[in-house]
Amino acid sequence: KAASKYGLRPLDIYALMTVESHANPRAVGKDDVGKGHSYGLTQISKAAIKDFEKAKRTKVTDKFDPTQNIEVGAWYIKQQKERYKDDMAAALLANNRGMRKADRFFNSDEPVSKEKLSEMTDYPARFLSVYRIFKDLGIENLKEQEVGAAIAQFKPEEYLKTHESGEYLTVFKPYDKSPYAEYVKYKPV
């Protein structure tokens, strides 16, 4: 429901939950010093919750509740898509690395090292890979209550070992002003 409410596909949400938490509603992401900073299925941050509550004039009562967590996660991705001109890869990068880091990455006129490029494009590439695999497997055809179990059992590394065509990880064109910042471009398949 949250997917259509915010202009996303169900597969977007399924891929987000898989990449972020492997469908664990109690997942807690840790920052560099080991403190919890993201929560639940879509790994929403405290800042995303605060922004959601302010924009929607409602309170998130349980950040681990799947319905509330997915609602905030879908809303936040939609906000990022609007910020980055409907570009899902850029929205995902901002969701994962933060808007400030994403803006610096996209607007830099400096050459980007291979390490930095890899660090910044890894998350959108993983999302796109999982999205396409789920599409191939027909996950969008499952009943809503079956999706969580399918995601929890999913092992992308094993799937990719048996499907090594390389078509799942594709790097496309630079974003706007940065001729060096190649990124993974989301394309509906």
Side-chain angles (χ1 to χ4, degrees):
K1 295 175 184 175
S4 62
K5 183 176 180 179
Y6 295 111
L8 303 172
R9 296 176 184 90
L11 278 179
D12 293 328
I13 301 300
Y14 303 155
L16 182 67
M17 291 187 314
T18 301
V19 172
E20 289 289 359
S21 69
H22 205 72
N24 178 359
R26 305 298 301 169
V28 177
K30 306 283 187 212
D31 61 14
D32 294 337
V33 292
K35 293 184 178 177
H37 75 287
S38 55
Y39 310 94
L41 290 168
T42 63
Q43 289 294 282
I44 55 175
S45 67
K46 290 176 184 175
I49 293 169
K50 185 177 173 183
D51 291 347
F52 175 85
E53 289 175 336
K54 184 177 178 183
K56 295 295 190 174
R57 296 189 181 131
T58 188
K59 188 86 174 142
V60 175
T61 57
D62 181 358
K63 60 189 166 224
F64 294 104
D65 173 66
T67 302
Q68 292 181 62
N69 188 280
I70 292 169
E71 174 89 9
V72 175
W75 174 85
Y76 194 73
I77 291 290
K78 178 187 183 271
Q79 300 309 303
Q80 301 311 312
K81 280 182 69 180
E82 287 175 358
R83 179 182 179 87
Y84 294 105
K85 302 177 189 126
D86 210 32
D87 188 311
M88 186 65 155
L92 290 166
L93 179 61
N95 180 59
N96 182 252
R97 304 300 294 174
M99 281 187 292
R100 279 186 232 115
K101 285 183 181 179
D103 286 346
R104 279 196 307 266
F105 179 72
F106 291 132
N107 295 317
S108 173
D109 290 330
E110 300 293 316
V112 177
S113 69
K114 284 185 181 180
E115 294 80 21
K116 185 69 169 178
L117 182 62
S118 176
E119 173 188 323
M120 297 301 278
T121 59
D122 177 65
Y123 179 83
R126 284 186 294 130
F127 176 94
L128 179 60
S129 296
V130 170
Y131 180 96
R132 288 189 174 169
I133 291 167
F134 282 1
K135 183 134 180 91
D136 288 352
L137 295 175
I139 288 210
E140 76 270 26
N141 298 321
L142 294 176
K143 293 178 181 147
E144 197 170 308
Q145 60 270 26
E146 298 171 331
V147 171
I151 292 172
Q153 294 173 13
F154 178 64
K155 307 259 186 289
E157 313 79 34
E158 292 175 18
Y159 184 86
L160 288 173
K161 282 179 193 170
T162 61
H163 295 79
E164 293 190 6
S165 66
E167 67 185 272
Y168 292 107
L169 299 175
T170 311
V171 177
F172 290 82
K173 67 181 179 87
Y175 184 84
D176 274 354
K177 299 177 184 171
S178 178
Y180 306 101
E182 289 183 306
Y183 69 102
V184 177
K185 178 75 175 165
Y186 169 87
K187 285 189 155 188
V189 285

